[in-house]
Amino acid sequence: MSHIPTLADLGDVGGKRVLVRTDFNVPMDNGVITDDFRIRSALPTIEWLTSRGAHVVCASHLGRPKGKPDPKYSMDAVRARLAELAPGVELMENLRYNPGEEGNDPQFVASLIQGIDAYVDDAFGACHRAHASIVGPPRTLPSAMGLLMQREVEVLLGLRNNPKRPFVAVLGGAKISDKLGVVEALLNVVDALVIGGAMCFTFLVARGYPIGDSLWEPDQVETCKRLLADSASNGKTIHLPEDLVGLDAAGNFATFGVRLPDGAKGLDIGPGTAAAFSDVIMDARTVFWNGPMGMFEDPRFEAGTRTVAQAMADTKAFTVVGGGDSAAALAQFGLDHDVDHVSTGGGASLELLEYGDLPGLEALRAAPNA
Ligand code: ADP
Ligand code: MG
């Protein structure tokens, strides 16, 4: 793969106006920022540039205003916080106020880069989208990835291209059809797959087990059957739950074996499964985790996710976590500082693992200074 330019490849930035595409899509409650992590995360790149004499203009999306101004998604609160953290740095209005952002309209790109001398992309979480602010500026401006993005790319491409083995991927969560492509791609690079969360039920159906009223996707059963057969013939192990926790037909909390009775709903992996998954993680040298093992938002069904999170924190393996809900679970257990890398991009991290590239990275590689 050819070179993706880094900040040093911008040359002398002194006196230049640099557009930095940041991911300031922060959680808000009634116009108040509830967590400024994403703003603070952009500071190393901003400081790298300002300390070398650049004038920084940031741009980000916030929420989904659907192509028109909407005060609910105004950048005012973000701009105020940014002014405290990085005085003198400008912030444009919400990129998604203009339909040209998501439509990748050349005229909108032209308006973004008017008076701008160089472009930096530090919005890893948006890099899997061919939006105007991601793919437009590098067509004409000297461009680079920021420090946050550089770390994401190093870690995730490192997993894909030369992981220390055994390499184990732990997958859960709810969006099985979104994630099956990743399962398939991961099977080519991992030594073992561990599957929990709602994702496991379509696999359990493929194995012929009754799953009661648990979440599953009927049209994905054939794909799961094929993945199970392929993994067996390629010497890869797919670990599925052997016990489950959930609600019985009367709606009471219950522990089950792998076969769920009629009307029962699996909402977490069982304690035996959690211990077995934890052992696999402890014995690995690289672990990638995406997707909670159960409905962890309900304390009755958090134990499986907590056990896996604790194993991620305790193992000597190099550990990477992707996915908004998985990262939230880790933070809820106070273990977010005990893994090696928490990706800031859920969809982007999965797509980079799946395809080995992203529209935003392709655009940077084709920049005039690359
Ligand atoms: P991530 O954001 O980490 O990629 P997902 O968005 O795919 O994860 O899935 C997270 C959601 O999956 C959580 O809200 C969790 O409650 C839900 N979930 C996990 N296991 C189950 C299950 N067995 N039944 C229903 N929902 C589940
Ligand atoms: Mg999610």
Side-chain angles (χ1 to χ4, degrees):
M1 183 186 289
S2 67
H3 179 66
I4 305 172
T6 60
L7 291 175
D9 295 311
L10 291 176
D12 181 8
V13 294
K16 297 207 170 128
R17 282 176 70 83
V18 181
L19 174 65
V20 182
R21 176 52 163 105
T22 49
D23 179 359
F24 288 162
N25 189 24
V26 293
M28 305 267 286
D29 184 20
N30 264 320
V32 177
I33 299 169
T34 54
D35 183 357
D36 66 356
F37 176 72
R38 288 188 166 171
I39 306 176
R40 285 183 287 111
S41 299
L43 295 178
T45 295
I46 292 173
E47 277 158 16
W48 193 99
L49 292 163
T50 53
S51 70
R52 286 165 178 78
H55 181 83
V56 170
V57 182
C58 292
S60 174
H61 69 282
L62 177 65
R64 296 178 181 276
K66 307 229 166 84
K68 53 179 191 313
D70 178 344
K72 208 169 115 201
Y73 299 111
S74 143
M75 298 302 278
D76 287 353
V78 176
R79 192 174 293 108
R81 183 71 185 122
L82 183 65
E84 290 168 1
L85 295 167
V89 170
E90 282 179 47
L91 175 61
M92 289 182 179
E93 197 36 276
N94 193 336
L95 290 165
R96 290 189 186 166
Y97 273 9
N98 192 309
E101 166 63 357
E102 288 172 88
N104 189 15
D105 174 8
Q107 267 182 314
F108 184 59
V109 174
S111 72
L112 287 177
I113 65 174
Q114 200 179 2
I116 297 288
D117 303 302
Y119 169 77
V120 171
D121 188 353
D122 216 12
F124 179 69
C127 261
H128 57 316
R129 313 254 183 245
H131 291 171
S133 66
I134 300 290
V135 297
R139 281 191 209 113
T140 49
L141 292 178
S143 299
M145 53 182 165
L147 299 170
L148 246 193
M149 181 124 125
Q150 194 180 337
R151 167 86 178 146
E152 294 274 12
V153 170
E154 272 164 20
V155 167
L156 293 163
L157 286 185
L159 288 194
R160 196 174 192 272
N161 299 332
N162 58 5
K164 289 209 168 92
R165 297 188 180 280
F167 176 17
V168 175
V170 181
L171 299 174
K175 294 174 271 186
I176 177 150
S177 38
D178 281 14
K179 293 184 181 179
L180 272 184
V182 185
V183 174
E184 189 148 24
L186 281 173
L187 267 178
N188 295 319
V189 290
V190 299
D191 301 291
L193 268 184
V194 171
I195 298 181
M199 190 171 225
C200 73
F201 297 107
T202 309
F203 280 94
L204 290 175
V205 171
R207 279 248 168 107
Y209 294 113
I211 57 154
D213 286 347
S214 306
L215 281 185
W216 67 302
E217 291 186 27
D219 54 345
Q220 303 297 336
V221 172
E222 286 310 310
T223 309
C224 290
K225 278 189 186 164
R226 181 170 53 76
L227 293 174
L228 288 168
D230 287 357
S231 63
S233 57
N234 295 330
K236 313 266 167 131
T237 317
I238 296 188
H239 299 271
L240 288 169
E242 281 160 12
D243 59 350
L244 293 157
V245 163
L247 297 174
D248 64 19
N252 297 315
F253 179 88
T255 303
F256 307 101
V258 69
R259 295 167 195 279
L260 292 185
D262 278 355
K265 195 167 183 165
L267 293 166
D268 193 8
I269 55 174
T273 301
F277 286 4
S278 170
D279 287 346
V280 175
I281 292 169
M282 294 307 291
D283 291 341
R285 289 184 71 204
T286 307
V287 189
F288 173 73
W289 177 30
N290 174 287
M293 295 291 102
M295 222 175 81
F296 74 99
E297 299 90 340
D298 181 330
R300 293 175 298 172
F301 307 117
E302 67 153 49
T305 304
R306 186 187 281 275
T307 302
V308 161
Q310 191 64 53
M312 291 293 287
D314 292 343
T315 181
K316 289 199 177 65
F318 181 69
T319 46
V320 181
V321 179
D325 292 290
S326 321
L330 207 58
Q332 183 180 313
F333 305 139
L335 296 170
D336 44 334
H337 298 292
D338 298 316
V339 297
D340 292 291
H341 182 70
V342 180
S343 177
T344 52
S349 66
L350 292 177
E351 280 192 31
L352 185 52
L353 283 175
E354 182 173 353
Y355 303 113
D357 208 354
L358 295 172
L361 300 181
E362 274 176 55
L364 290 173
R365 255 188 267 109
N369 62 322

